[in-house]
Amino acid sequence: MKRRLLLVSNSTLYGGGYLDHCQQEIKQFFGDHVKKILFVPYALKDRDTYASTARKKFTSLGYELDSVHEAADPVEAVKRAEGIFIGGGNTFRLLKTLYDHKLVSEIQRRVLVDGVPYMGSSAGTNVSTISIHTTNDMPIVYPPSLDAIGLVPFNINPHYVDPDPNSRHMGETREQRILQFHEEPDTPHVLGLREGSMLLVEGHKATLLGSTNARLFPRGEAATEFTPGSDLSFLLTD
Amino acid sequence: MKRRLLLVSNSTLYGGGYLDHCQQEIKQFFGDHVKKILFVPYALKDRDTYASTARKKFTSLGYELDSVHEAADPVEAVKRAEGIFIGGGNTFRLLKTLYDHKLVSEIQRRVLVDGVPYMGSSAGTNVSTISIHTTNDMPIVYPPSLDAIGLVPFNINPHYVDPDPNSRHMGETREQRILQFHEEPDTPHVLGLREGSMLLVEGHKATLLGSTNARLFPRGEAATEFTPGSDLSFLLTD
Ligand SMILES: [Ca+2]
Ligand SMILES: [Ca+2]
């Protein structure tokens, strides 16, 4: 399997600029071979501004960037893409728009069959997994399904946060929400990627990268912590 | 219109017990006329434990309580209910189960046509409104629609929280999430009910109750704050 994925928890880390905290990983991931990235801005309303932010960053890293929302035929744009980057925003809006433009299966084919490298950040990481059942976002629109592109057979929770021991807020903690997900039948493992964390997938190998630990919620077992550099390839065998 | 609703932000307020912070309002709302409440525990997995918690509290307030999950025919139980209380938990699971049991339209009819008093808390407040598009919960299951019981023509965001100025977390604030909802076409006003807050609806009159201000996000206008006691009846005219 040719699959190559860089799945980033968050686009901006506290105190830094857009994608600053993962720029070395981005350059290593797309390498010298890819010249132009196809950007998917559907998670935010203002696609022009979003594409210009992404273009500025990728240009500074030595890549050209086309935004799929400027393409006359989005499916055709995906068919020709050398590399794909789906940015963050609202996960429901993003997935619905991917379905509206018939891009879900086409992106899956390009990445899993043709080996086109796929980078996702935040909502773009959610949609790369088996489903968006573990997004943090508000369901502002209703997608035709919560099944997503399915590039990996498990779920990710981006922006994972630990409970705040000083909080007086009584809404569910993130961990409680994920445990509620696992109360439902046949739900897969959930990898909680804290801000600063990312997962690199190359074929059947998965490696945790970044500056923070990740918290894995295996279905029906206690959660465990993994340090950067950990081999998480076992998540890829469903 | 006979409609009578008590829509509570949260079931438990920091430092208190289950429904303690709104027990006076509950007694005033159901009054002496209602003897038995029909409880809907679908938002949590363990319905028996949930019903027993609710029964204990309502018994202490002088009401009997039946749980709909113990009824042979849930629709029949709603048809006979003197008063309805839907508790909190996961909003997606709650709404899906209401649809699975064909209770959405039956509860709507009992409340709007027959004048059966309806109390909701947290997820039970979300499902009472026009839709669950402004829930905070994780989409752990996929309901057939996000349209809800529609007892009021606007949206509520329960457990509303203000941004934490000391936070280094880069996920969207609650306000940003609600503003993203309003970027979508034809979205209604959103009432952010902070923990401790509740809305009393009697016919065409709506009054804010509780111990905290509420924050209203009118579509396309700046957010405004309302103090307890405020008349919010204008929200009922869509
Ligand atoms: Ca988001
Ligand atoms: Ca909840």
Side-chain angles (χ1 to χ4, degrees):
Chain A
M1 181 180 276
K2 291 177 173 176
R3 168 179 60 187
R4 292 193 68 242
L5 317 172
L6 182 64
L7 306 179
V8 183
S9 171
N10 55 303
S11 309
T12 309
L13 193 61
Y14 181 80
Y18 182 67
L19 297 178
D20 282 355
H21 69 288
C22 52
Q23 59 183 19
Q24 290 314 314
E25 288 85 354
I26 294 174
K27 288 190 73 164
Q28 219 155 3
F29 179 69
F30 287 116
D32 294 336
H33 198 66
V34 172
K35 303 294 178 201
K36 192 188 271 183
I37 310 287
L38 181 66
F39 177 59
V40 177
Y42 296 151
L44 290 186
K45 174 79 172 171
D46 184 348
R47 297 168 178 181
D48 289 340
T49 302
Y50 200 9
S52 119
T53 302
R55 182 172 287 121
K56 200 169 152 192
K57 184 65 189 176
F58 276 84
T59 303
S60 81
L61 300 176
Y63 301 100
E64 291 177 75
L65 184 141
D66 280 346
S67 184
V68 73
H69 84 287
E70 294 163 344
D73 181 342
V75 173
E76 201 50 45
V78 169
K79 278 191 207 293
R80 287 193 313 261
E82 298 170 49
I84 296 170
F85 169 43
I86 304 193
N90 183 283
T91 310
F92 292 87
R93 177 193 278 156
L94 170 59
L95 185 61
K96 180 175 188 304
T97 314
L98 289 172
Y99 276 114
D100 288 347
H101 291 300
K102 305 197 187 319
L103 294 183
V104 173
S105 56
E106 189 58 33
I107 294 173
Q108 186 190 61
R109 194 186 65 75
R110 290 306 321 273
V111 177
L112 296 186
V113 178
D114 296 348
V116 170
Y118 175 103
M119 174 180 162
S121 167
S122 192
T125 287
N126 277 125
V127 299
S128 78
T129 71
I130 189 165
S131 80
I132 67 162
H133 281 292
T134 58
T135 177
N136 308 308
D137 287 334
M138 201 172 254
I140 62 172
V141 295
Y142 184 67
S145 168
L146 298 187
D147 295 345
I149 307 177
L151 305 178
V152 295
F154 57 93
N155 277 91
I156 287 177
N157 179 249
H159 301 273
Y160 182 77
V161 278
D162 296 290
D164 173 0
N166 297 315
S167 173
R168 298 180 162 217
H169 189 73
M170 300 299 287
E172 295 92 341
T173 65
R174 190 67 59 81
E175 173 149 351
Q176 285 169 337
R177 296 178 189 281
I178 293 169
L179 295 179
Q180 285 183 338
F181 176 57
H182 277 160
E183 290 172 346
E184 296 298 318
D186 303 322
T187 40
H189 298 336
V190 179
L191 181 63
L193 287 181
R194 292 183 180 87
E195 296 186 351
S197 215
M198 61 202 96
L199 188 72
L200 175 67
V201 177
E202 295 174 296
H204 294 290
K205 189 169 187 328
T207 312
L208 186 67
L209 302 180
S211 55
T212 55
N213 291 356
R215 188 166 179 83
L216 179 68
F217 298 86
R219 180 180 164 78
E221 287 170 57
T224 39
E225 292 283 328
F226 288 90
T227 53
S230 293
D231 185 338
L232 299 181
S233 304
F234 62 91
L235 289 175
L236 298 172
T237 58
D238 44 351
Chain B
M1 180 179 276
K2 293 177 173 177
R3 168 177 62 184
R4 292 193 68 239
L5 318 172
L6 182 64
L7 306 179
V8 184
S9 172
N10 54 304
S11 310
T12 309
L13 193 61
Y14 181 79
Y18 181 67
L19 298 179
D20 281 355
H21 70 288
C22 52
Q23 57 184 20
Q24 289 314 315
E25 289 85 353
I26 294 174
K27 287 189 74 164
Q28 219 153 5
F29 179 68
F30 287 115
D32 295 335
H33 198 67
V34 172
K35 302 295 178 200
K36 193 188 270 183
I37 310 287
L38 181 66
F39 177 59
V40 178
Y42 295 152
L44 290 185
K45 173 78 172 173
D46 184 348
R47 298 168 179 179
D48 289 339
T49 302
Y50 200 11
S52 118
T53 301
R55 183 172 289 121
K56 200 170 152 190
K57 184 65 188 172
F58 275 83
T59 302
S60 81
L61 300 176
Y63 300 101
E64 289 179 74
L65 184 140
D66 280 345
S67 184
V68 73
H69 84 287
E70 293 163 344
D73 181 343
V75 173
E76 202 49 45
V78 169
K79 277 191 209 294
R80 287 193 312 260
E82 298 169 52
I84 296 171
F85 169 43
I86 304 193
N90 184 282
T91 310
F92 291 88
R93 177 192 280 156
L94 170 59
L95 185 61
K96 180 175 188 303
T97 314
L98 290 173
Y99 276 114
D100 288 348
H101 291 299
K102 307 198 187 317
L103 294 183
V104 173
S105 56
E106 189 57 34
I107 294 173
Q108 187 190 60
R109 193 186 66 74
R110 291 305 321 274
V111 177
L112 295 186
V113 179
D114 297 348
V116 169
Y118 175 104
M119 173 180 163
S121 167
S122 191
T125 287
N126 277 125
V127 299
S128 78
T129 70
I130 189 165
S131 78
I132 68 162
H133 281 292
T134 57
T135 176
N136 309 307
D137 287 335
M138 203 173 253
I140 62 172
V141 295
Y142 184 67
S145 168
L146 298 187
D147 295 345
I149 307 177
L151 304 178
V152 295
F154 57 92
N155 278 90
I156 288 178
N157 179 249
H159 300 275
Y160 181 77
V161 279
D162 296 289
D164 173 1
N166 297 314
S167 173
R168 299 182 161 213
H169 189 73
M170 301 299 286
E172 295 92 342
T173 65
R174 189 67 57 79
E175 173 148 354
Q176 286 170 338
R177 296 178 190 281
I178 293 169
L179 295 178
Q180 285 183 339
F181 175 57
H182 277 160
E183 290 173 346
E184 297 297 319
D186 302 320
T187 41
H189 298 337
V190 180
L191 181 64
L193 286 181
R194 293 183 179 87
E195 296 185 352
S197 217
M198 64 203 93
L199 188 73
L200 175 67
V201 177
E202 295 172 297
H204 295 289
K205 188 168 187 333
T207 312
L208 186 66
L209 302 180
S211 54
T212 56
N213 291 356
R215 189 166 178 82
L216 179 69
F217 298 87
R219 178 178 165 81
E221 287 169 59
T224 40
E225 293 283 328
F226 289 90
T227 53
S230 293
D231 185 338
L232 299 180
S233 305
F234 63 92
L235 290 174
L236 297 172
T237 58
D238 47 348

